[in-house]
Amino acid sequence: MGFLSGIGRATLVFLAATGRLALFTARSLSHCVRPPYYPRLLVQQMREIGYNSLPVVGLTALFTGMVLALQSYTGFARFNASSAIATVVVLSITRELGPVMAGLMVAGRVGAAMAAEIGTMRVTEQVDALSTLSTNPYKYLVAPRILAGTLMLPCLVLVADIIGVFGGYVVSIYRLGFNPAAYLTSTAQYLETNDVVSGLVKAAAFGFIIALMGCYNGYHSKGGAQGVGAATTHAVVSASIMILMINYLLTGLFFS
Amino acid sequence: MSAATETPKIELTGVKKAFGPKKVLDGVDLSVAKGESFVIIGGSGTGKSVMLKSILGLLNPDAGTIKVDGEDTTHITGRARDRVMTKFGMLFQGGALFDSLPVWQNVAFGLIQGRGMRRAQARDIAIEKLAAVGLGSDVANLSPAELSGGMQKRVGLARAIATTPEIIFFDEPTTGLDPIMADVINDLIVKCVRDLGATALTITQDMASARKISDRIGMLYQGKLIWQGPTDSIDDSGNPYVDQFIHGRAEGPIQMQVKLG
Ligand SMILES: Nc1ncnc2c1ncn2[C@@H]1O[C@H](COP(=O)(O)OP(=O)(O)O)[C@@H](O)[C@H]1O
Ligand SMILES: [Mg+2]
């Protein structure tokens, strides 16, 4: 009996949490589209999420592209299929690794910061203070972050795609001694618009998830510094797992 | 403030609020007249802040009704809530200043975001309100984190009065301040409330503060308002709970939850 009631309780807790998240999402979205808007805050968040994440995302993409070239060379050299490397690099980057790597890095950088900032505002009653000053916290705090996340992640991923392909190019030319012109031709040959677009759609979904989980966990944090710490961890972990899950689902949708 | 026929500014009837199994408010009845300064005393954790937050709609009471100017505001949301909120100003227990904004934008927040006032004009009003709480324009561009506790309380007060609210709530305005600064804040509260002609509801554990700023006092204990009366009657309330609290005695009907090892 203890075991069964344990399962029952866990299920109820899970359902309650899912319901809370769904409600939060619906509320946030409705405030994204209804005035008043806060363009100043949106721009500030776009700069924070997009521009300030460039170094991290760029470096990640660079080394990912480089290691892809190196690794597929050691694999393909046995089959004399070295020209396939360019294709492997560009397709892996644009379809999967660009969006996923950027998503995970931004989840760590921005999702954590959102949860910590909103969480601190919650436990120090700043969120309540917003309401008493006739300002809706969903509009003022959540909507700009969600919009900025959804808009900026595709931009970041586009940059990551370019840098990643460049990383693969550098390794192939200067380390593996390929012909630059032949490499570029192979890169372009098998790349289709769909590969890039699917990656950008994924990126938009990831940006939404990162901002949503950051805001949600921050908004519902309680109990002082420890609560804010827990909210930050939750925001990053749950966003990362959801990114990987959604990536799988979207890949199934786009490429089946 | 005579006429008993006049609609009370704030009226609570049978307000209940529990968090899980824990009953915090258990049927609070309270009526504050227009222009009155009401102070609620009570030990920490008795639900004083929960009561204020319920009136402000930050928490949803489980039962009972809350009326502001005779209008039932217990469960209103959205635009209707926003409209009622414009009547209120609140000084939070910990200040709750926005640490991402400079002092003047904190004070002007309700004017710029809530009322859509132009920034330059709002800034002038903010400087004026800062002066009203004894702060010079040199602090206007500082970040709240650069201010002392007493100064933060003053900025919080300036922010609460900036939109000239009809009702102001003060949540433990003197807690954590030295006695002299506490008295300065008390004087400011009395002055600001008088200047605005506002209705004030203050919660505090500080009896000196309570006596100084109140017209009437009520005591919250175990989720109910167990006593209320005019300020000068508090010393002969005939209520053992009130007596114990105002004299700060460990022995009496109020049992502190202290486990002895
Ligand atoms: N959001 C909340 N969730 C759960 N419990 C709460 C919440 N807010 C307050 N409480 C509990 O209600 C009780 C009263 O809190 P509060 O009103 O802050 O006390 P005080 O009288 O010191 O202001 C406390 O025991 C607190 O733990
Ligand atoms: Mg309190």
Side-chain angles (χ1 to χ4, degrees):
Chain A
M1 275 322 276
F3 177 66
L4 282 183
S5 70
I7 293 181
R9 205 172 308 124
T11 312
L12 284 182
V13 167
F14 175 76
L15 288 179
T18 312
R20 247 198 329 267
L21 178 59
L23 198 65
F24 185 87
T25 312
R27 263 204 203 137
S28 309
L29 287 177
S30 83
H31 283 291
C32 284
V33 295
R34 277 185 299 159
Y37 308 110
Y38 294 102
R40 195 186 284 261
L41 295 176
L42 180 62
V43 170
Q44 189 184 326
Q45 288 302 323
M46 284 169 77
R47 193 171 55 223
E48 175 58 29
I49 299 172
Y51 186 72
N52 292 351
S53 299
L54 271 177
V56 167
V57 170
L59 277 175
T60 314
L62 182 70
F63 284 105
T64 307
M66 287 167 68
V67 83
L68 267 177
L70 206 55
Q71 187 66 264
S72 33
Y73 178 72
T74 57
F76 287 131
R78 279 178 284 170
F79 309 105
N80 283 328
S82 305
S83 64
I85 291 175
T87 317
V88 169
V89 170
V90 73
L91 290 189
S92 313
I93 291 278
T94 54
R95 286 180 174 193
E96 300 292 341
L97 292 174
V100 169
M101 288 298 205
L104 294 178
M105 296 315 282
V106 174
R109 209 189 83 81
V110 175
M114 284 180 185
E117 189 179 355
I118 298 181
T120 306
M121 291 184 73
R122 163 60 74 196
V123 301
T124 57
E125 299 182 309
Q126 291 178 51
V127 175
D128 291 338
L130 279 177
S131 303
T132 66
L133 295 164
S134 304
T135 304
N136 189 310
Y138 281 91
K139 269 199 170 52
Y140 188 82
L141 294 175
V142 180
R145 284 172 170 78
I146 288 189
L147 284 175
T150 315
L151 291 174
M152 288 323 283
L153 249 259
C155 302
L156 276 174
V157 166
L158 201 59
V159 176
D161 286 351
I162 295 168
I163 295 180
V165 169
F166 172 75
Y169 173 85
V170 167
V171 168
S172 303
I173 306 309
Y174 296 102
R175 173 123 189 224
L176 308 175
F178 290 0
N179 178 318
Y183 187 89
L184 287 179
T185 313
S186 319
T187 297
Q189 195 168 14
Y190 294 102
L191 182 67
E192 288 171 11
T193 320
N194 229 359
D195 299 322
V196 178
V197 170
S198 70
L200 298 186
V201 172
K202 281 178 175 181
F206 299 166
F208 176 77
I209 292 293
I210 292 166
L212 181 71
M213 296 319 288
C215 294
Y216 173 79
N217 284 289
Y219 199 84
H220 292 280
S221 62
K222 43 175 156 289
Q226 197 184 5
V228 175
T232 309
T233 311
H234 274 146
V236 177
V237 172
S238 56
S240 303
I241 291 176
M242 284 170 86
I243 285 174
L244 295 171
M245 273 170 28
I246 289 173
N247 183 53
Y248 176 80
L249 293 177
L250 288 180
T251 298
L253 210 65
F254 286 130
F255 300 105
S256 62
Chain B
M1 297 298 113
S2 51
T5 50
E6 208 176 313
T7 329
K9 198 75 183 164
I10 305 170
E11 191 176 19
L12 276 66
T13 352
V15 170
K16 294 187 181 181
K17 178 72 188 175
F19 294 103
K22 182 172 178 178
K23 285 186 190 163
V24 178
L25 299 181
D26 194 17
V28 174
D29 298 309
L30 169 71
S31 169
V32 184
K34 187 168 186 299
E36 186 179 39
S37 174
F38 197 100
V39 168
I40 290 174
I41 56 174
S44 44
T46 49
K48 303 185 300 296
S49 298
V50 168
M51 194 184 94
L52 284 195
K53 287 181 183 173
S54 301
I55 301 175
L56 290 168
L58 300 171
L59 290 172
N60 240 330
D62 302 327
T65 53
I66 295 167
K67 287 183 181 169
V68 177
D69 283 325
E71 178 192 354
D72 189 339
T73 63
T74 320
H75 299 294
I76 60 170
T77 53
R79 272 183 222 293
R81 168 64 66 189
D82 288 347
R83 183 177 45 73
V84 172
M85 282 306 223
T86 59
K87 294 183 185 178
F88 287 95
M90 164 114 183
L91 175 60
F92 283 87
Q93 191 165 351
L97 298 177
F98 305 125
D99 39 32
S100 58
L101 299 176
V103 165
W104 80 265
Q105 284 189 35
N106 265 280
V107 177
F109 195 92
L111 299 170
I112 297 174
Q113 309 294 353
R115 306 254 163 113
M117 187 184 283
R118 297 245 308 280
R119 293 170 75 83
Q121 191 189 354
R123 191 188 152 99
D124 290 344
I125 296 180
I127 303 278
E128 199 179 292
K129 298 292 175 183
L130 283 171
V133 297
L135 292 175
S137 56
D138 47 322
V139 302
N141 289 317
L142 296 180
S143 144
E146 296 173 79
L147 305 180
S148 69
M151 285 163 97
Q152 289 186 359
K153 278 271 153 78
R154 293 190 201 204
V155 174
L157 182 57
R159 184 174 74 179
I161 61 171
T163 52
T164 53
E166 300 166 29
I167 305 166
I168 315 184
F169 288 174
F170 301 98
D171 191 347
E172 307 207 9
T174 56
T175 302
L177 300 180
D178 67 76
I180 297 171
M181 183 53 76
D183 203 48
V184 171
I185 297 287
N186 286 335
D187 286 338
L188 282 173
I189 288 176
V190 171
K191 171 174 159 292
C192 291
V193 171
R194 190 174 359 90
D195 289 352
L196 290 174
T199 308
L201 182 57
T202 308
I203 58 188
T204 188
Q205 309 176 353
D206 172 357
M207 280 315 298
S209 172
R211 287 172 198 276
K212 185 151 189 175
I213 63 183
S214 64
D215 300 325
R216 279 200 302 146
I217 298 183
M219 176 153 170
L220 193 65
Y221 180 66
Q222 291 196 336
K224 291 191 176 70
L225 218 52
I226 55 162
W227 179 86
Q228 53 178 303
T231 306
D232 44 20
S233 73
I234 190 154
D235 288 310
D236 35 36
S237 64
N239 185 311
Y241 295 90
V242 175
D243 279 343
Q244 186 191 349
F245 189 87
I246 64 177
H247 295 114
R249 285 191 293 255
E251 288 83 32
I254 305 175
Q255 293 299 318
M256 280 296 171
Q257 316 266 326
V258 184
K259 284 221 176 67
L260 295 175

